[in-house]
Amino acid sequence: MKLPKRLFTYSFIGLALITTGCTGFHWSNDNWTGQDKAQHFAFSAAMAMAGNAYADRQNWQHREAAQFGILLSVSLGAAKELYDSRPEGTGWSWHDFAYDVAGAVAGYSLYNTMK
């Protein structure tokens, strides 16, 4: 199954293009604590678990299921930050994105522990 590898490649290229050359792009000036950080973490963990569960039900191999679950979760987090980076939005937050990645890894680990 080559979908997770392609998804990662396209997500990475898109993220690189967006963060390096968009004139309407702006950054958030937030800190590492706050209610929205817990929401980013919890949502990303839930999406990683859901992605892994879906891939398991499709009888994908463990590695492909793990890639799909984590990439689904991180891609949704990146899309949310991209939405926030609009001129009317709150701005791209690397802190939020870090919580998204941490939540995705935690969700993957929790799903495989409970499996």
Side-chain angles (χ1 to χ4, degrees):
M1 170 112 277
K2 298 291 182 192
L3 178 64
K5 187 174 182 180
R6 284 189 207 151
L7 181 64
F8 174 74
T9 303
Y10 294 141
S11 298
F12 181 76
I13 290 170
L15 184 62
L17 290 174
I18 289 166
T19 58
T20 58
C22 295
T23 56
F25 195 83
H26 76 281
W27 306 98
S28 175
N29 187 18
D30 63 346
N31 57 24
W32 284 100
T33 59
Q35 180 181 3
D36 73 316
K37 305 305 186 251
Q39 292 169 344
H40 279 272
F41 185 88
F43 179 78
S44 293
M47 290 300 101
M49 291 173 67
N52 273 285
Y54 171 79
D56 278 348
R57 285 181 176 61
Q58 299 300 315
N59 295 320
W60 292 357
Q61 295 178 3
H62 174 74
R63 180 178 174 177
E64 293 170 340
Q67 288 175 342
F68 181 77
I70 290 174
L71 289 176
L72 172 69
S73 179
V74 171
S75 296
L76 290 172
K80 199 278 185 190
E81 290 308 312
L82 180 60
Y83 179 78
D84 285 347
S85 70
R86 300 169 300 126
E88 307 84 36
T90 58
W92 179 283
S93 171
W94 285 109
H95 299 156
D96 289 352
F97 192 67
Y99 275 91
D100 290 332
V101 172
V105 173
Y108 160 76
S109 299
L110 182 61
Y111 177 78
N112 284 300
T113 300
M114 294 172 47
K115 192 165 89 168

